Amino acid sequence: MRPPSEARPVSGAGVGAEEPVSGGAVDADGFRRALAVHAAGVVIITAQSDGIPVGLTATSFSSVSLDPPLVSFYVDQSSTTWPWLRDADHFAVNVLASDQADLAARFARKDIDRFAEPTRWRPGPLGAPLLQDVSAHLICLPHETVDVGDHILVVGLVAEARVHSPGRPLIYHQGRFGRFIAHP
């Protein structure tokens, strides 16, 4: 292993290629390939806007702060669901379990009723849809949004957190949903 002073950055050229950075940003395809090797947890963000349930799949979910309790996710600027989420007075984070890949794929698709059968859900205490059989629910109040590149960073203040089943999580890795297997 090289000392940090001798490490060379990797460009978007290929896996394991060591080339100096040319001064510009990596191209979108190279960036996408590099990010694909990072496994991410999968959640579905849901809300109710004008009495209509809305939701989307997110793999950019993260904790932000313990005091106050804040979480975040990113949504694409071009999302057709975002205007509905933005107008809601609260939203729910549904943390998916390892057997819910079909549900994650359903909420990632466009032009379908994501809440129709076979989706199972109920209204939460403040009205946001809560998906059934998930590992946990977080009920959040909008805290802050920031335009960042081609996405919007959404930060929520967690008003309620309930763990239902701390089993195995659903993860997203190299463009596919998968299951976590603990290291022995």
Side-chain angles (χ1 to χ4, degrees), residues 47-92:
Q48 186 172 193
S49 186
D50 291 334
I52 299 168
V54 296
L56 55 81
T57 299
T59 58
S60 59
F61 176 75
S62 180
S63 62
V64 174
S65 169
L66 289 175
D67 187 18
L70 300 173
V71 295
S72 70
F73 67 95
Y74 287 88
V75 61
D76 193 302
Q77 294 260 5
S78 66
S79 167
T80 57
T81 304
W82 170 241
W84 295 90
L85 283 174
R86 180 186 59 223
D87 290 343
D89 61 359
H90 72 285
F91 60 89

Side-chain angles (χ1 to χ4, degrees), residues 9 23 64 67 90 105 130 134 149 153 160 163 173:
V64 174
D67 187 18
H90 72 285
L130 300 180
V134 299
L153 170 64
E160 182 178 324
V163 176
H173 182 251

Side-chain angles (χ1 to χ4, degrees), residues 127-142:
L130 300 180
L131 301 175
Q132 294 192 11
D133 304 318
V134 299
S135 295
H137 289 115
L138 303 172
I139 307 299
C140 303
L141 305 173

Side-chain angles (χ1 to χ4, degrees), residues 87-104:
D87 290 343
D89 61 359
H90 72 285
F91 60 89
V93 177
N94 299 268
V95 181
L96 299 188
S98 64
D99 62 349
Q100 294 182 303
D102 289 343
L103 188 62

Side-chain angles (χ1 to χ4, degrees), residues 102-103 106 109 113-121 133:
D102 289 343
L103 188 62
R106 180 176 184 81
R109 288 201 314 258
D113 181 354
R114 297 168 179 162
F115 291 91
E117 288 291 332
T119 302
R120 296 175 356 143
W121 64 281
D133 304 318

